[in-house]
Amino acid sequence: MVYNWLNKLQDTLFPPRCRLCGGAGAGRRDLCPGCHADLPWLGAACVRCALPLASDGQLCGHCQQQPPAFDRVIAPFRYAPPLDYLVQRLKFHQDLAMGRLLGQLLAETLATLDGPRPAVILPVPLHRRRLAERGFNQALEIGRPLRDTLGIPLEPGLAQRVRPTETQSRLPARQRQRNLRRAYALGAAPLPDHIAILDDVMTTGTTVNELARLLKGAGVTRVEVWVLARTGTQEDGG
Ligand SMILES: [Zn+2]
Ligand SMILES: [Zn+2]
C-alpha cells in the first residue's frame, strides 16, 4: 500500500523520462516507445549460450564441441549501441537509476518465458577489492527490480569471489579460463536445485561457466544464466 502510494507520488514528481532521447517515458519505464523498439534485440541465437547465429534453434560450434556447465542463457539484447551506453552508464558512472531500467527490461523478457522458474537469483559476485573500488555490484543493481517483479529472492551470499583477478578483457580466452580457476567459492547456505546466475553482459561466458561448474559440482541440477546483453562473438573482450 505504502509502496504504491510512494510510487504514485514519485511518478507525479519525477515522471519517467527516456534515458536515450529525453522524451516522455512509457508506463513506469525510463524509455520512450520508439527508443525501446529500436534497442538491439537479440534475434536468432544459440539455444544454449545465446551467441547470435544466422538461424534459430541451433547450437553454436563452441557449445557442440565443449558443452558449457550452464543449461541455457537468457539475454534480451545484443551488446551493441545504444544498449552498451546504458550498461556503461550503470557500470562506470555509478548511474544506479540505470540499474532499475536495465533490470526492468530483463524482467519483461523473463516474464514472457514458460517453464519452471529458478528458486533464487545469484548475482555474479565481485571481489571485495573491486567492490570497494566501484562502490556497488552492477549485477545486484540489475537484480533488485528482477526480484521485485518476478518475486524470486536474490541471494548474493551463495558464492564469493575469493581471488582477485586481472581485468578479464586484457587476457586471451585460454588464459581467462586459467585465471578463473578457484576464483569463486560457495558460501555455507544450502543450495536449491535450480539457480539463475545474473550478470550484466556475457562475452566469452568464462566467468558464468566457472560459477555454473562450481554450482553443479555442489549438486545443483539446473543452472540458468540471465544477462542483459550478449556480445556477437566469443572472442572480443569485456
Ligand atoms: Zn526515447
Ligand atoms: Zn552456444
Side-chain angles (χ1 to χ4, degrees):
M1 260 328 232
V2 175
Y3 183 68
N4 277 339
W5 181 81
L6 283 174
N7 274 344
K8 278 192 187 121
L9 182 69
Q10 194 182 16
D11 289 349
T12 312
L13 295 175
F14 310 102
R17 286 264 148 227
C18 180
R19 296 299 306 270
L20 288 169
C21 74
R28 302 190 46 77
R29 201 198 284 131
D30 291 334
L31 269 185
C32 74
C35 289
H36 182 253
D38 286 347
L39 287 173
W41 297 91
L42 184 73
C46 172
V47 291
R48 189 88 179 248
C49 77
L51 184 75
L53 294 176
S55 57
D56 233 334
Q58 314 281 318
L59 273 177
C60 74
H62 193 266
C63 287
Q64 281 176 33
Q65 286 163 18
Q66 223 182 323
F70 49 77
D71 296 283
R72 71 165 176 181
V73 176
I74 305 297
F77 304 107
R78 280 178 296 109
Y79 192 60
L83 195 94
D84 53 355
Y85 162 79
L86 300 180
V87 171
Q88 285 163 20
R89 285 296 311 172
L90 166 66
K91 215 164 161 176
F92 304 116
H93 300 272
Q94 304 215 0
D95 186 345
L96 299 188
M98 195 61 89
R100 192 187 59 183
L101 171 62
L102 295 174
Q104 276 173 350
L105 290 169
L106 181 53
E108 285 163 17
T109 292
L110 289 164
T112 65
L113 301 176
D114 297 328
R117 292 257 173 98
V120 300
I121 302 169
L122 167 62
V124 170
L126 294 181
H127 188 263
R128 60 189 153 71
R129 197 179 301 163
R130 176 67 61 84
L131 189 61
E133 279 166 16
R134 190 172 285 168
F136 63 97
N137 178 349
Q138 71 277 6
L140 187 60
E141 296 306 317
I142 295 169
R144 291 185 220 278
L146 283 186
R147 172 198 59 198
D148 297 344
T149 310
L150 303 174
I152 303 174
L154 270 174
E155 297 283 358
L158 284 187
Q160 288 94 41
R161 178 134 200 170
V162 288
R163 225 158 54 90
T165 47
E166 254 186 88
T167 300
Q168 289 293 95
S169 49
R170 292 196 205 118
L171 302 171
R174 186 155 301 180
Q175 214 174 324
R176 287 188 199 201
Q177 217 153 5
R178 222 176 8 230
N179 198 34
L180 272 166
R181 291 264 174 243
R182 292 180 297 280
Y184 298 100
L186 296 177
L191 296 166
D193 280 348
H194 185 178
I195 293 180
I197 297 172
L198 176 64
D199 208 355
D200 53 351
V201 179
M202 177 168 162
T203 303
T204 60
T206 320
T207 304
V208 288
N209 196 46
E210 189 60 23
L211 262 176
R213 200 181 55 79
L214 196 63
L215 292 170
K216 288 259 170 118
V220 177
T221 48
R222 184 167 172 82
V223 177
E224 297 186 25
V225 176
W226 293 353
V227 292
L228 203 68
R230 184 71 166 93
T231 58
T233 72
Q234 293 184 316
E235 302 308 324
D236 51 43

